[in-house]
Every structure is written in structure tokens, then in C-alpha cells.
Amino acid sequence: MSSTFSRLRHDAALTARLAAPLAAGHLSHGLVGLIDTVVAGHHGTATLAAVAVGAALFWLPMLAPMGTLMALPPSVSQLDGGGRRAEIGPLFRQALWLAALLGVLLFALLSLLPLALRPMGIAPDIVPGATAFLHAIRWGIPGFTLYLAMRYLSDGLHWSMPTMVVGFGGLLLLAPVGYVLTNGLLGLPALGAAGVGVASALMFWLQALALALYLRRARRFADLALFAHWQPPRWPVIAGLLRTGLPIGVTVTMEGGLFAATALLIGRLGEVPAAAHQIALNVASLCFMVPFGLAEATTVRVGHALGRGDREGVRRAAFAGFALVLATQACSALAMLLGHAAIAGLYSADPAVVALAGSLLLYAALFQFPDGIQVVSAGALRGLKDTRVPMWLAALAYWGIGMPVGAGLGLALGWGAPGMWLGLTAGLAVAAVLLLRRFLRSSRRLPIPAPAPSVRVTDAG
């Protein structure tokens, strides 16, 4: 018993060291929206409304390429664990082509999306500002997708510190540049909402260039020869990444879409429920960055164990993630239970909004444990490159159960925003059960060793 506990403590420490910078990096992405909101809010209410609509329409589609490129960490970690580091550089170069392709597709989507603002019922006075924001920020999308490919390479090699450093470094640029461009300081014209978009686009490209420079010069990556030479696209390799990554992208987008659809439905209930939901969702989203980082660390450690042919190591890496996420989610749930009113009061001075937001944080506390279990289970399955079946399980949980239950309780039965949040809880709980069960079954039947032929690539093709 003591040796088992000692191994679990050792594995948990390894996962925690890897996950901490990852969680911080995700937090930096979350703070991009916060900084954009603050800068826009200081410029004016119209600018704030335009950026709020534009940011929502920007980040939801971005979940698809973010999830798709998550195929890279397990692929890299399996190659590294299997002693096949020579194949990592060629694979990475193909991932850059995939990232560039995804960036171009998202650029095209963001170019057309403003045409849908009026048909979506967005207020006419918001449309010009939201359009200007989307047309400005779209220029940064290819930089952001390339940054993700480089970041996921580093994460897959157990080195997540650059994620945190470059992520927060970008925020130090975003706030002052956004403020100057939005308000027209230093002799520049006032761009309003477009200024926020330009600042974000500049930040994405500078983050990509900074990380590329680091990967090129860092000694720990020297043997990989990541940028040694140009390599044309190898479509079988890119297709292999897509086979693993597209189901992840769909799954992540479905979960994000569940929360977005819930926000739209709650918006039909009035200003107070909508504002209260936004507060509770913001708190829950910030808390989610910790289990999300643990899930990515679990992906890397499971993939590495699989690559070196260690079936028991696969399960130990996953159980370390589960142990850590239960501990961290207990802390966040306790904070919401004890401090829900005080937390809500930090966001608003409206007593009605504070009271409802505080009650919604109690529901958020309720789903902390299932949310943590489902995201770490999904991360462990990604480490096994088991992504297609989990995609369908997530679709069933989120949209077959979570959304109908939420809409039924919140709208049909008149429970309002609390009913919608009970639907979120139900969807996450079912996802936790299904994905955990899937991992436990899959990890018992592993064909070890299991290097994936879809990522086997050399410079010779």
C-alpha cells in the first residue's frame, strides 16, 4: 500500500509540474478576452458591445482548429517515448502546414461571418463595430494557429514553460497597444473596436515569432532540427493528424457550443439573467483552466508511456491526473460554495444581478467534479489517440442530454437560468461517466507497444 501511494504521489508531482505552466498558458488566453473587454469598455458602451459580439463570434470557431491541432502532443509524446525522436521534426513541419491551412480557412470564415450579423438579429448599431473588430482580428488567425502548432510540439516534449512565458508576454503587449489604437493616442487615429482587433492580431503574430525563435535556438530542441530545411506538404501525414485531431476539434467545439447556446437561451429571459449568467460563466471558465491544463499534461504523459510500451504507466499517468483534478476541483467548489455572493459582488453593483449570479455559482460548484473528471478522461483518451468514439459520447452527453434537460427545465418548466445550469451539470456528469468508463476499458486492452503508423514520417517521406 505504501509503495502504491508513493508511486501515485511521484506521478502526481510529475503531472503537476507539467500542468502548471499549461494551465497558466490557458489562463493567458482567457485573459485576452478580459483585456479586450476592459479596453473596449473604457472607450465606450458601443465599443464594448461591438467587441463582446465580435469576440464571441471569433473564439467559438477558433475552438475547432485549437482542438484539431491537439493531435500533435500525443503524436510527439509517443514518438519521444518510443525513442523515435528523429521523426518528430518531419512531423512538426507537416503540422505547420496543417496549422497554416486551418488559419487560411478561419481567415475566410471570419471574412464572411460579418454578413450574418444582421440576419442573426444583432442590433444595427452594433453591427459596424463588430464587423470592424472581426475584419481586424482575422489577420492574426494564421499567426495564432502556427503558434498553437509550435506550442503543442513543446508541450508534447514535456516542456510547457514557453506556453506560460509567451502567453503572458503577449498580454503585456496587448493592453497598452490596444488602449493606444482604440483611443487614438500618440498621434494615431482612434480605431474604436477595430483597434482592439488590430492589437490582438499583432499579439498573435508576435507570439508565433517569439516561440519560433525560441524553438530554433533552444538547446533542448537542437537535435530535432525543427527548422533545418523547407519541406513540402505530405498529405498522408497531414491526413493522419486530421484523423486524430478532427474528432478532438469537433468535441471541443460541441462543448463550447453548449455553453454558447445556453447563453443565447438565457438571453431570452432578460438582462438580469443574462448578466448573472455571464458572471457565473466567467468564474467557471477561469476555474476550468486548471483541469484543462491537467488534461493536457495527462495527454502527454499517457502518450509518452504508450510510446515506451508501458501499459501500467499509461494507467498510472491517468490516475495521477484524476487525483490532482479531484483535489483542485474540491478547492474551486469550496470557494464557490463559501464565497459565491462575494465573488458575484466583484462583477456588479446591481443587487438583483449579484443575487442571481451568486445562486448560479452554487450550481457551478455542483458541476466542478464531473467537469474535472470528464476533461481529464478526454485528455487520457487523447493520449491513446482514441478520439472518434469519445466525440460521439460527448455529443450524446452535451447535446442529447445537457441541452434538452437545460431547455426543458429552464424554459418549458419556467425554472429560468438555474434550470439551464442544471442542464449543464447533467451534460457534464454524463460525459464524465461515459468518458471515464471508455478510458478504463481502453487502457485494459492496449496493444503495447503501439506506435501510430499515421505519424511515421521522415524527410524522405
Side-chain angles (χ1 to χ4, degrees):
M1 178 65 71
S2 60
S3 62
T4 300
F5 178 76
S6 177
R7 282 200 305 270
L8 178 61
R9 185 172 60 182
H10 174 71
D11 286 325
L14 291 175
T15 300
R17 282 198 295 270
L18 179 60
L22 290 173
H26 284 300
L27 180 62
S28 71
H29 286 318
L31 292 176
V32 169
L34 176 63
I35 290 175
D36 285 350
T37 299
V38 170
V39 170
H42 277 83
H43 186 262
T45 302
T47 304
L48 176 59
V51 170
V53 171
L57 293 175
F58 171 77
W59 284 108
L60 185 58
M62 280 304 301
L63 291 175
M66 289 173 70
T68 300
L69 291 169
M70 282 182 186
L72 193 56
S75 300
V76 168
S77 62
Q78 284 186 29
L79 292 174
D80 187 37
R84 298 160 57 191
R85 284 178 65 88
E87 297 178 42
I88 293 176
L91 174 64
F92 168 68
R93 288 188 279 277
Q94 296 308 308
L96 288 179
W97 281 112
L98 175 58
L101 175 62
L102 292 171
V104 170
L105 292 176
L106 264 292
F107 179 91
L109 176 63
L110 265 291
S111 299
L112 298 174
L113 201 53
L115 299 175
L117 291 173
R118 292 184 188 276
M120 288 170 60
I122 302 299
D125 56 336
I126 295 178
V127 170
T131 299
F133 173 83
L134 289 169
H135 279 171
I137 200 172
R138 64 179 173 165
W139 294 100
I141 291 177
F144 186 54
T145 54
L146 290 170
Y147 164 78
L148 287 173
M150 292 182 283
R151 172 200 158 167
Y152 288 147
L153 167 88
S154 183
D155 294 347
L157 292 170
H158 289 224
W159 185 236
S160 52
M161 191 61 68
T163 295
M164 180 178 70
V165 174
V166 176
F168 280 98
L171 296 181
L172 295 177
L173 169 80
L174 177 62
V177 173
Y179 191 79
V180 167
L181 294 177
T182 301
N183 294 281
L185 305 179
L186 305 178
L188 298 172
L191 299 179
V196 179
V198 170
S200 299
L202 285 173
M203 181 195 70
F204 291 146
W205 275 109
L206 287 175
Q207 284 180 321
L209 292 173
L211 192 51
L213 184 64
Y214 172 79
L215 292 178
R216 186 178 182 87
R217 294 191 173 182
R219 261 190 264 177
R220 68 170 57 235
F221 300 107
D223 66 305
L224 302 179
L226 297 174
F227 301 102
H229 56 81
W230 180 83
Q231 186 177 354
R234 301 266 166 79
W235 298 113
V237 182
I238 293 174
L241 288 170
L242 284 172
R243 276 193 295 272
T244 301
L246 273 180
I248 303 173
V250 172
T251 301
V252 172
T253 305
M254 282 193 300
E255 184 176 3
L258 173 65
F259 283 88
T262 299
L264 292 175
L265 291 176
I266 290 178
R268 298 170 58 183
L269 302 175
E271 292 182 357
V272 170
H277 169 78
Q278 184 59 33
I279 291 171
L281 182 60
N282 183 257
V283 174
S285 297
L286 291 176
C287 291
F288 181 71
M289 299 307 161
V290 175
F292 198 15
L294 287 170
E296 287 199 323
T298 301
T299 297
V300 172
R301 295 204 61 232
V302 166
H304 195 270
L306 183 64
R308 67 176 185 265
D310 183 1
R311 181 185 287 108
E312 186 59 30
V314 166
R315 292 173 69 84
R316 286 209 321 268
F319 292 151
F322 291 132
L324 286 169
V325 84
L326 289 175
T328 59
Q329 296 304 86
C331 293
S332 59
L334 190 62
M336 292 178 191
L337 287 172
L338 299 180
H340 57 279
I343 294 171
L346 296 174
Y347 285 81
S348 175
D350 186 330
V353 172
V354 170
L356 182 54
S359 68
L360 293 182
L361 284 175
L362 296 178
Y363 291 95
L366 184 63
F367 70 55
Q368 290 303 295
F369 289 106
D371 199 16
I373 293 296
Q374 66 91 18
V375 73
V376 172
S377 298
L381 288 166
R382 286 197 295 270
L384 300 178
K385 292 196 174 179
D386 183 1
T387 57
R388 292 186 187 181
V389 171
M391 176 185 70
W392 294 110
L393 296 178
L396 171 64
Y398 301 148
W399 290 95
I401 294 174
M403 180 51 64
V405 169
L409 294 176
L411 301 180
L413 296 183
W415 290 19
M420 295 296 300
W421 276 68
L422 280 175
L424 293 175
T425 303
L428 292 170
V430 172
V433 171
L434 294 178
L435 294 175
L436 176 59
R437 181 173 178 268
R438 173 74 180 179
F439 172 76
L440 293 176
R441 294 183 63 188
S442 296
S443 61
R444 288 194 200 103
R445 301 180 299 194
L446 286 177
I448 300 288
S454 61
V455 300
R456 186 174 182 86
V457 57
T458 64
D459 289 329

